[in-house]
Amino acid sequence: MTYDPISRTFLDFFRERGHELVSDGSLIPPPGDPVLFTTSGMHPLTPYLEGRPHPLGRRLVNVQRCLRTTDLDEVGDCTHLTLFRMLGSWSLGDYDLPRSLRWGYELLRDGFGIDHDRMHVTVFGGDEQVGPDEPSLRTWNELGLPVELTGAENWWSNGPTGPCGPDTEIFVWTGDGPPLGTPGTDSRWMEVWNHVGMRHHRHPDGRLSPLRQPNVDTGMGLERLEMVLGGHRSVFEGAGLVPWVRGVSGGWGLRDGSLRLVADHLRASVVVIGDGVRPSNTGRGYVLRRLLRRALTTLWRDDASRTLSDLPTGAVRHTLDGFGQSGTVDEVRDVFSGEERRFRELLRRGRPVVSRRRSRGPLTDEDYRDLHDTHGLPRDLVDGLLAEVS
Ligand code: SER
């Protein structure tokens, strides 16, 4: 794995402070893990956050590829990506959250040159189970950064149960002119780095108990940091996205939100395929299928003759190389073309069926079940066809 200059600065900073490098794992969690894809740098470290000793020690750092489908509806804007790289650092029961915040501030200001005045933070203000995060509040006050106190937005967990805790998020001003408002009132404050005081375990009944050790888990979106440091207006101006933006706008003439969505989804699909997933009707394969179908739906919105055979192959190569994947452009092209064929065929068969069903009145749950079981039409696809026919 080769690292870009931003990642190297991040890794060196933490290595100089005693952190050992954990290598970038695949998007596929180990067998037995119920989660479909790695969604954060901490995810592969869960057993160690829960107290198992890590072979590399108690201070760790890495750059982890992550896939998040929870933000899918926001993809198309300027700051959300389905696939991104997370710069992460961890204290496994070693130093505390204020130590991490001071290092974080030092790295952003002195290592990356981000002005003090362009930073704003949010801190957990407490709820009925856990009090306010006083140590973080005190630390940020001492460092002189403006703080906004919030509730649930500053509580981090990777799912309904497991390790969790209050987090404090660092935002950077991305607007022209001097900063205005707070992260809660002005979306030009972009979250870049999240520091979690991971010291609780959530049980299935909602109860919290202390973890065996208090940890710190931090994660910063590399593409967002790149946007800030490059003075860009969007993450799509970053080195990993530019070949996609060029290819998608040049090849298919897409613009703005459609361009960003297709660039994002195709890039994410390439990495998912590179990590060994193939389209299917369940699990990981279905996530891949949905990404490709969303991209195709967007491509065909104003020109149904567009085809993934015109895929920007330079961008595919660039992405496979960037993520150190051994797959080939031809393999990716085969998967894309196969999916495109299947999807065209499904739409051709599905359109008249949905339209007939619709003419009898609004669809019931039973209709959806039947369309799925008898005609192989998933609910989201039926909804798309309904929007076309009504
Ligand atoms: N787990 C936190 C996040 O994903 C910090 O790494 O934001």
Side-chain angles (χ1 to χ4, degrees), residues 59-106:
R59 297 183 180 195
L60 305 174
V61 64
N62 90 341
V63 186
Q64 170 66 44
R65 69 191 69 175
C66 300
L67 188 95
R68 283 195 185 173
T69 49
T70 40
D71 294 336
L72 223 46
D73 290 331
E74 281 161 283
V75 169
D77 72 5
C78 291
T79 57
H80 286 86
L81 290 171
T82 308
L83 178 104
F84 61 97
R85 280 167 301 172
M86 190 181 276
L87 305 165
S89 62
W90 293 274
S91 155
L92 301 176
D94 188 0
Y95 56 84
D96 61 10
L97 189 53
R99 169 77 275 158
S100 180
L101 302 185
R102 287 182 186 279
W103 277 339
Y105 174 74
E106 183 188 337

Side-chain angles (χ1 to χ4, degrees), residues 31-356:
D33 190 322
V35 167
L36 291 180
F37 290 103
T38 297
T39 53
S40 65
M42 63 70 68
H43 188 78
L45 297 174
T46 305
Y48 308 104
L49 292 160
E50 281 171 338
R52 188 198 295 175
H54 194 286
L56 294 176
R58 306 207 305 167
R59 297 183 180 195
L60 305 174
V61 64
N62 90 341
V63 186
Q64 170 66 44
R65 69 191 69 175
C66 300
L67 188 95
R68 283 195 185 173
T69 49
T70 40
D71 294 336
L72 223 46
D73 290 331
E74 281 161 283
V75 169
D77 72 5
C78 291
T79 57
H80 286 86
L81 290 171
T82 308
L83 178 104
F84 61 97
R85 280 167 301 172
M86 190 181 276
L87 305 165
S89 62
W90 293 274
S91 155
L92 301 176
D94 188 0
Y95 56 84
D96 61 10
L97 189 53
R99 169 77 275 158
S100 180
L101 302 185
R102 287 182 186 279
W103 277 339
Y105 174 74
E106 183 188 337
L107 176 57
L108 290 180
R109 194 193 58 182
D110 305 335
F112 289 120
I114 299 175
D115 244 23
H116 175 97
D117 294 343
R118 285 178 69 204
M119 293 190 239
H120 201 307
V121 297
T122 58
V123 167
F124 181 66
D127 62 14
E128 50 299 323
Q129 277 180 295
V130 179
D133 181 3
E134 302 281 5
S136 296
L137 187 56
R138 239 189 337 270
T139 309
W140 292 130
N141 283 336
E142 282 163 17
L143 291 170
L145 284 185
V147 177
E148 184 176 32
L149 282 179
T150 79
E153 296 99 306
N154 279 92
W155 183 268
W156 204 88
S157 64
N158 197 31
T161 58
C164 55
D167 69 349
T168 170
E169 299 175 359
I170 306 173
F171 289 74
V172 175
W173 178 251
T174 60
D176 297 326
L180 297 170
T182 67
T185 60
D186 196 314
S187 61
R188 286 172 293 178
W189 286 105
M190 179 174 69
E191 183 201 337
V192 293
W193 201 351
N194 186 11
H195 292 233
V196 187
M198 201 163 267
R199 45 180 185 266
H200 302 276
H201 179 92
R202 170 96 53 200
H203 297 269
D205 62 4
R207 212 168 27 89
L208 289 176
S209 61
L211 281 174
R212 216 178 299 163
Q213 66 199 24
N215 309 289
V216 178
D217 152 45
T218 87
M220 171 152 62
L222 172 60
E223 291 82 356
R224 286 191 178 184
L225 181 60
E226 190 184 7
M227 167 179 162
V228 167
L229 300 183
H232 301 153
R233 319 238 25 123
S234 124
V235 287
F236 290 85
E237 290 174 52
L241 273 303
V242 162
W244 284 102
V245 168
R246 281 212 195 101
V248 171
S249 61
W252 293 305
L254 295 187
R255 299 276 168 267
D256 306 326
S258 309
L259 164 61
R260 291 191 287 266
L261 185 141
V262 171
D264 169 87
H265 283 22
L266 294 186
R267 170 177 170 266
S269 299
V270 168
V271 180
V272 170
I273 292 168
D275 274 352
V277 177
R278 292 294 175 270
S280 74
N281 277 338
T282 54
R284 296 189 181 105
Y286 190 58
V287 173
L288 173 58
R289 179 157 280 170
R290 271 189 73 207
L291 287 172
L292 287 172
R293 286 183 179 176
R294 281 169 57 97
L296 284 165
T297 307
T298 309
L299 272 180
W300 292 337
R301 197 166 290 142
D302 41 36
D303 183 354
S305 70
R306 288 183 179 137
T307 166
L308 289 179
S309 308
D310 298 332
L311 189 66
T313 49
V316 177
R317 180 75 276 151
H318 186 268
T319 296
L320 290 171
D321 290 348
F323 284 87
Q325 295 181 307
S326 57
T328 64
V329 174
D330 284 344
E331 260 169 276
V332 171
R333 201 208 303 272
D334 284 351
V335 175
F336 278 23
S337 309
E339 271 310 281
E340 177 175 330
R341 256 196 319 278
R342 219 165 281 126
F343 192 38
R344 275 195 200 276
E345 175 57 18
L346 198 58
L347 291 176
R348 195 186 58 75
R349 284 191 291 112
R351 241 177 232 117
V353 178
V354 169
S355 146
R356 260 197 314 277

